[in-house]
Amino acid sequence: DAGVIQSPRHEVTEMGQEVTLRCKPISGHDYLFWYRQTMMRGLELLIYFNNNVPIDDSGMPEDRFSAKMPNASFSTLKIQPSEPRDSAVYFCASSTGGEQYFGPGTRLTVT
Amino acid sequence: AQSVAQPEDQVNVAEGNPLTVKCTYSVSGNPYLFWYVQYPNRGLQFLLKYITGDNLVKGSYGFEAEFNKSQTSFHLKKPSALVSDSALYFCAVRDGDYKLSFGAGTTVTVRA
C-alpha cells in the first residue's frame, strides 16, 4: 500500500492567496483527519470525516479554512485568504477507527 | 475529556543504554493509548497501541510500552537505544469518537 498521499509537499504563497492542500487516504479507511503542526501549538486536530461526512470541525481556526471530502479517496483543505500565521505543516491521516496513519505532510509558508 | 501528558521535553541517552519516554493519561472509562514517532520532515509513524489485555505491549523497531493502571501511565521503552532512534515521540489517547489527543512530544537524542 502506498500509504496516505499528500500534495503538494511544499507550498509557498503570498498573503491573501488561496491555498488548497490535497490528501488521498489509505484505501479502505473510513476516517480521515486533518492536523496542523507548529512549534508554538504542537499538533492540532482541525477536522475529521467519517465515511466522507464531516464529524467534528471544532478545530478549524476560522471561516478562512474549509475542508471537503467528495469521495472516499480524496479530501481537500482550503485556506482562503491565507495569512502568515497559517504557516505550518499540515498533515492528513486516515484510519479504520483505531490507530491513525499519517501522510508526509505539506509544509505551507505564507509570506 | 481525555488527555495525555509527557512530562519530559527532552530525553538524552547513550547508544546501547535503555530508553524510557514517559506518558501519563487522564480518561473516563477504558483508555485506548498510542505511541507515535516523528523523524525530521516526516509524518508521524505509528509504533504501538494499548487497547486491552497484556500490560506490556510490543511494537515496531524494538519498542515496547508498559500500561500501568494504578499509576495512569503508559511509558515507552527500548532496552538498547540506537542513534537512529533519535526523533520526536508522541503519546496519544483516543476519545470515544475516534479522535486522538496528543501529548506535546518528547525529543529523544541518542548519542553515539
Side-chain angles (χ1 to χ4, degrees):
Chain A
D1 198 323
V4 176
I5 299 172
Q6 291 187 247
S7 64
R9 293 294 309 276
H10 301 272
E11 178 78 41
V12 180
T13 191
E14 293 183 348
M15 182 175 62
Q17 296 299 305
E18 177 179 297
V19 175
T20 299
L21 312 181
R22 296 172 176 79
C23 174
K24 176 179 170 58
I26 293 171
S27 178
H29 284 193
D30 51 358
Y31 287 88
L32 184 138
F33 305 82
W34 282 101
Y35 292 88
R36 178 172 68 177
Q37 186 178 37
T38 61
M39 290 293 291
M40 292 295 294
R41 301 173 68 92
L43 198 61
E44 303 173 275
L45 176 65
L46 301 177
I47 185 172
Y48 81 97
F49 297 81
N50 178 221
N51 291 323
N52 313 336
V53 176
I55 303 300
D56 185 345
D57 65 355
S58 60
M60 296 286 262
E62 48 199 274
D63 291 346
R64 298 184 297 107
F65 286 68
S66 63
K68 294 182 179 179
M69 192 166 186
N71 57 62
S73 59
F74 183 66
S75 177
T76 59
L77 178 68
K78 185 177 294 186
I79 308 173
Q80 165 64 16
S82 58
E83 296 183 2
R85 60 193 168 120
D86 301 331
S87 296
V89 181
Y90 291 80
F91 290 105
C92 176
S94 70
S95 82
T96 57
E99 64 270 21
Q100 296 177 15
Y101 293 88
F102 283 71
T106 296
R107 182 173 296 276
L108 174 65
T109 302
V110 183
T111 60
Chain B
Q2 328 281 49
S3 66
V4 293
Q6 295 180 242
E8 299 164 318
D9 291 335
Q10 293 193 21
V11 170
N12 299 302
V13 298
E15 188 172 36
N17 281 2
L19 169 64
T20 298
V21 187
K22 296 179 180 178
C23 173
T24 59
Y25 65 88
S26 174
V27 302
S28 54
N30 295 323
Y32 294 156
L33 298 161
F34 304 81
W35 275 103
Y36 285 82
V37 60
Q38 185 179 27
Y39 298 99
N41 301 312
R42 303 284 295 276
L44 278 70
Q45 295 180 32
F46 169 70
L47 281 178
L48 52 80
K49 65 181 177 184
Y50 173 83
I51 303 297
T52 187
D54 289 341
N55 290 341
L56 187 63
V57 180
K58 295 191 181 297
S60 305
Y61 311 122
F63 283 94
E64 58 189 26
E66 186 172 8
F67 173 72
N68 188 315
K69 187 174 183 178
S70 62
Q71 297 185 6
T72 63
S73 66
F74 188 56
H75 301 331
L76 182 69
K77 300 181 180 183
K78 186 170 185 179
S80 178
L82 302 172
V83 172
S84 58
D85 294 327
S86 299
L88 181 58
Y89 290 80
F90 290 96
C91 182
V93 62
R94 197 189 81 175
D95 278 332
D97 56 357
Y98 302 103
K99 296 189 296 186
L100 291 183
S101 295
F102 286 88
T106 299
T107 298
V108 170
T109 301
V110 182
R111 60 186 184 275

